[in-house]
Structure formats: C-alpha cells, structure tokens
Amino acid sequence: MTGPGGSRVLSLDSLVRFQRGRLTPDGPRRLPVPDGMTAPMGCDAVAVPARFGPLVLPRLPRVGCVYADDAHWWWLVPSDSDYALEWPAPAHYAAGAVLPDSPADTDAAGLPGLIHRPDGTLPYTPPIPLYLALCRLTGTTPVWSRPVTA
C-alpha cells in the first residue's frame, strides 16, 4: 500500500505484527515457526503444564506445532486467539509466542523442543478445539456458556 508521493503506508495490523516480530539481542525468546512453514495470521502460543499435554492431544481434530520442555507444552495458534476468550487456568496465553523469562529444561538456543510438526505449511492448532479441550480437562465452563450477570 502506498500513500501520497509514493511513500509506503503501514496499516495498524502491520505495525502490530512488526512489533511482535521484532527481536533484539536482549529481546524476548519466541517459539519459532519451523522452516518451510508460514504463519499468515501471525503466531501466538498457548502453554499448559506438561502433565496436561498428553491428555490434550487426543482431544484435538488437528494438531499444529507443539513444543515441550519438562515444565510446559506449547501450542502455536493464530494471533489474537485470545480475543473474547478467557483461557482456563493453569493455561497461559502468550501473545507473539513469547516465552516467559525463566527457562525450564530447554535446548541450546533456550527454547523448548519441537515435539510435533503437522503436515503442510501451516503451524497452527485450531484455537477453539484447543480451548474446549482445556476447559474440559480443567473443569472450566466455556466463556460463552456462563450465565450473564447484571
């Protein structure tokens, strides 16, 4: 997109994606999109304690990229998959697929290891089935099924 005088104009979406994707030498650790895959919708991640990981997998119709260390399993989801959702505790939603500051058992690059890579080029686990599986495992009522209070 170009503006007056041929200058390039960035949309707000582009600026947000740029900021989320910016890395500095002392910047945050992010889960990478594997080589050969694309993330056209951006990338966030959902983490759960490692004990839940094997319980979540069989409940999903499609599994995208999953990373794991001794403490957590991380699923890549499209950006903004937290919109209008309250992910159930003890799940952690990580915008930009940014990992917390304290690494557990990670590889030499300081990242959890990739334990599942889907066929194809998209790294995503569909967020709604993941959300529902986590709600079921944690005994949490999905946000859209909760009573409305005045």
Side-chain angles (χ1 to χ4, degrees), residues 1-9:
M1 176 187 237
T2 57
S7 63
R8 186 170 179 193
V9 177

Side-chain angles (χ1 to χ4, degrees), residues 3 5 55-56 64 91 103 107 112 128:
L55 302 173
V56 172
D107 69 12
I128 297 301

Side-chain angles (χ1 to χ4, degrees), residues 1-112:
M1 176 187 237
T2 57
S7 63
R8 186 170 179 193
V9 177
L10 296 175
S11 70
L12 183 56
D13 289 337
S14 296
L15 292 173
V16 168
R17 283 196 183 101
F18 176 74
Q19 177 63 26
R20 284 184 171 178
R22 195 178 81 177
L23 290 175
T24 61
D26 297 320
R29 296 177 309 128
R30 296 178 192 276
L31 293 172
V33 174
D35 289 340
M37 300 190 100
T38 61
M41 295 183 279
C43 229
D44 289 347
V46 177
V48 299
R51 70 181 184 275
F52 286 114
L55 302 173
V56 172
L57 280 178
R59 296 172 185 258
L60 298 173
R62 179 186 189 284
V63 179
C65 289
V66 181
Y67 293 83
D69 56 31
D70 285 345
H72 296 94
W73 283 32
W74 300 83
W75 278 264
L76 292 185
V77 294
S79 289
D80 301 321
S81 292
D82 59 338
Y83 181 76
L85 288 180
E86 295 171 27
W87 287 83
H92 169 74
Y93 190 86
V98 174
L99 299 172
D101 290 334
S102 58
D105 293 326
T106 55
D107 69 12
L111 299 172

